[in-house]
Amino acid sequence: YTQEFGGMSSSYDRALTIFSPDGHLFQVEYAMEAVNRGAATVGLMGSDVIVLAVERRAAPKLQDTRTVRKIVRLDQHISLAFAGLSADARVLIDQARVECQSYRLTVEDAPTVEFVARFVAGVQQQYTQRGGRRPFGVTAMLAGFDPDGTGRLFQTDPTGIYTLWRATAAGNSSKNLMEYLEKNYTDGLAEQEAVVLAVKTLLEVVESGVGHMEVCVMRAGQPAETLSDDALSAVIAEIEAAAAGGGDA
Amino acid sequence: EFGCTDMDSVIGVTGDNFVIIAADASCARSILVYKQDEDKIVSMDNDTKLMGVAGDTCDRVRFSEYVDRNLALHLMRWDRPMGVKASASFCRTTLATALRQGPFQVNLLLGGLDTDGSASLYQMDYFGTMHKNAFGALGYGAHFVLSTLDQHYREGMSVEEAMEVVAKCVQVLRTRFLINLPRFIVKTCTPEGVTVSEL
């Protein structure tokens, strides 16, 4: 086939994941745009916990939302939250779950968070290069504790890279959330401080209320805990009381 | 030498809400005993199911680890454990599919508790034959132990009564079976989890 030269992009760049003349992969970049329209997602490390918090968008009145879980377990010790297309994420999540069990069967040990993040990123990378398929519109945050007890927070994106973070945000208004985190995050947060900061960060863009967010706390050697409505509303109440009482940072 | 499932003696007994599986702890080939502390009973799905497997170590370990991992995968995918019958059907299908490709030469007893607390026990051979029973036995030992179970097993026994029946089975083997089986590992699955003891 022929390709136009001299323009910023040709009609071919939008259909397949091939390079544009100036070195862009437009489909991948458009996938990042899809992620930016997704639910706001925050992940941050405390001294001995990892907190994942995601926005829950309003569902239609007649929908039963019991089964819609935004933060999912990949393995006993690893959880995943994502921003972007839920159906795409479902595919990645299932492949990651199989890979975790496959690793355990072969190696007789739990996989590290990095291993699973690299696997998910590897799948996402393949869809930027081969097969003529569109990329996954998903930025995934993988959080968990390695067998040696070290906590890790990794993030993958539609380009297929994976990166390690102390705190990160994705999805709707992620720029603002990242700025907020860069201003307010410190290392060595205790569990309650970490939860409060994660919720505070989300509250920058999300409506207040337990129905609008889902928060998951991960501790070494323990199952991941999704905060109950009661626990979460207590945190929100504490934040709002502090904001009303004194100035907020 | 093809797989030998005769030399492992495994016994399984159910009550209304518990399952007991006992297996000898000897790992041997011909006249040589490799070890006397081999655990042939796998506890799966957060201690809700027990699987006692008879067969050479390679297939026994390969099969039990494969089933264990797949039950764990189901738990991750669906956030609830597979039922006992579904797990047994999974085992059966695995055995039957492998039969004409590369068989798992194992016989097994799979017992466990469903989320409603009811107990069930399934016996399978390496062809993929499966039967649900109140009690069962594998190996040469079955020739002796099944008549003991026929005589002493009652439905609705308590855990202690069932343990006595299992102890009688082990006693019969130690009296009448040629092969010396000095150690049996016994695992009991109740709603509180799995406890391990020895006979």
Side-chain angles (χ1 to χ4, degrees):
Chain A
Y1 55 85
T2 57
Q3 185 173 346
E4 299 168 16
F5 287 98
M8 284 294 286
S9 67
S10 78
S11 53
Y12 293 101
D13 300 330
R14 292 187 154 78
L16 304 170
T17 46
I18 55 178
F19 286 109
S20 71
D22 61 341
H24 289 265
L25 287 173
F26 279 112
Q27 275 302 298
V28 175
E29 293 178 15
Y30 300 159
M32 309 277 265
E33 290 300 313
V35 168
N36 287 336
R37 295 215 310 270
T41 310
V42 168
L44 56 89
M45 306 260 312
S47 62
D48 55 3
V49 295
I50 310 176
V51 182
L52 293 172
V54 301
E55 172 190 8
R56 300 193 75 145
R57 293 209 168 131
K61 273 203 182 131
L62 292 173
Q63 182 177 343
D64 183 346
T65 55
R66 274 180 306 160
T67 55
V68 176
R69 273 294 193 87
K70 299 228 61 189
I71 305 173
V72 298
R73 266 199 314 172
L74 296 185
D75 200 350
Q76 288 165 17
H77 62 306
I78 302 179
S79 289
L80 178 147
F82 66 92
L85 276 49
S86 300
D88 284 10
R90 204 174 57 219
V91 172
L92 289 174
I93 288 165
D94 195 65
Q95 289 194 26
R97 282 172 169 159
V98 174
E99 185 66 16
C100 284
Q101 297 308 318
S102 176
Y103 184 98
R104 282 176 180 267
L105 182 60
T106 321
V107 174
E108 283 194 25
D109 213 352
T112 58
V113 185
E114 179 181 5
F115 181 91
V116 186
R118 191 186 315 172
F119 171 80
V120 171
V123 175
Q124 291 191 270
Q125 190 280 337
Q126 283 185 28
Y127 283 64
T128 70
Q129 195 172 26
R130 274 185 279 180
R133 299 170 291 193
R134 66 160 178 80
F136 288 90
V138 173
T139 286
M141 285 180 204
L142 290 91
F145 288 85
D146 289 346
D148 68 357
T150 320
R152 298 280 187 221
L153 174 63
F154 280 92
Q155 184 168 299
T156 72
D157 66 21
T159 65
I161 66 166
Y162 69 102
T163 41
L164 180 64
W165 296 81
R166 287 139 60 214
T168 182
N172 183 22
S173 305
S174 55
K175 265 211 178 67
N176 297 341
L177 299 185
M178 279 304 289
E179 274 174 27
Y180 186 84
L181 281 171
E182 283 178 10
K183 255 199 290 200
N184 291 288
Y185 177 81
T186 55
D187 290 318
L189 291 169
E191 177 173 326
Q192 189 60 13
E193 294 173 319
V195 172
V196 164
L197 178 58
V199 174
K200 258 182 164 170
T201 311
L202 258 196
L203 284 174
E204 290 282 299
V205 297
V206 172
E207 249 185 85
S208 174
V210 293
H212 293 115
M213 55 183 83
E214 186 177 315
V215 179
C216 180
V217 178
M218 311 203 55
R219 308 175 187 88
Q222 292 182 37
E225 183 202 342
T226 304
L227 290 190
S228 65
D229 282 354
D230 288 341
L232 184 50
S233 55
V235 171
I236 295 174
E238 177 191 324
I239 292 171
E240 287 174 347
D248 198 354
Chain B
E1 179 194 334
F2 289 117
C4 175
T5 55
D6 297 320
M7 299 305 291
D8 301 313
S9 295
V10 184
I11 306 158
V13 164
T14 58
D16 288 338
N17 63 349
F18 66 87
V19 174
I20 301 175
I21 299 198
D24 78 279
S26 302
C27 189
R29 181 181 292 266
S30 176
I31 57 170
L32 174 67
V33 175
Y34 291 115
K35 58 204 305 256
Q36 297 276 22
D37 60 355
E38 180 78 359
D39 185 357
K40 300 171 188 170
I41 309 168
V42 174
S43 177
M44 307 183 293
D45 247 348
N46 293 337
D47 287 354
T48 60
K49 297 170 188 66
L50 294 172
M51 185 164 72
V53 186
D56 286 332
T57 308
C58 53
D59 280 352
R60 174 163 52 78
V61 168
R62 225 165 42 92
F63 182 79
S64 54
E65 285 182 352
Y66 178 78
V67 172
D68 193 11
R69 285 300 109 223
N70 273 278
L71 293 185
L73 178 61
H74 186 273
L75 184 62
M76 286 300 139
R77 275 174 164 158
W78 301 107
D79 214 16
R80 60 180 188 276
M82 250 196 207
V84 182
K85 185 173 183 201
S87 310
S89 298
F90 174 79
C91 289
R92 198 207 79 77
T93 306
T94 307
L95 291 166
T97 311
L99 179 64
R100 287 184 170 81
Q101 295 174 350
F104 292 100
Q105 284 170 311
V106 294
N107 299 334
L108 63 118
L109 284 168
L110 188 152
L113 301 182
D114 284 311
T115 45
D116 64 358
S118 62
S120 46
L121 179 72
Y122 292 83
Q123 181 162 347
M124 266 164 272
D125 69 15
Y126 66 98
F127 298 106
T129 318
M130 182 168 89
H131 290 287
K132 180 171 186 287
N133 278 320
F135 58 83
L138 306 172
Y140 279 136
H143 291 98
F144 302 90
V145 152
L146 282 173
S147 53
T148 309
L149 288 167
D150 277 337
Q151 192 177 7
H152 292 288
Y153 178 84
R154 300 274 175 274
E155 280 192 18
M157 287 188 294
S158 68
V159 175
E160 292 74 25
E161 289 169 330
M163 275 299 220
E164 279 173 24
V165 174
V166 172
K168 283 191 167 76
C169 294
V170 172
Q171 191 53 38
V172 151
L173 288 174
R174 289 185 175 144
T175 313
R176 291 297 180 192
F177 186 33
L178 175 67
I179 307 298
N180 182 36
L181 300 170
R183 192 171 167 192
F184 274 77
I185 293 176
V186 184
K187 295 194 181 179
T188 310
C189 181
T190 65
E192 284 77 50
V194 167
T195 46
V196 182
S197 55
E198 291 199 13
L199 278 171

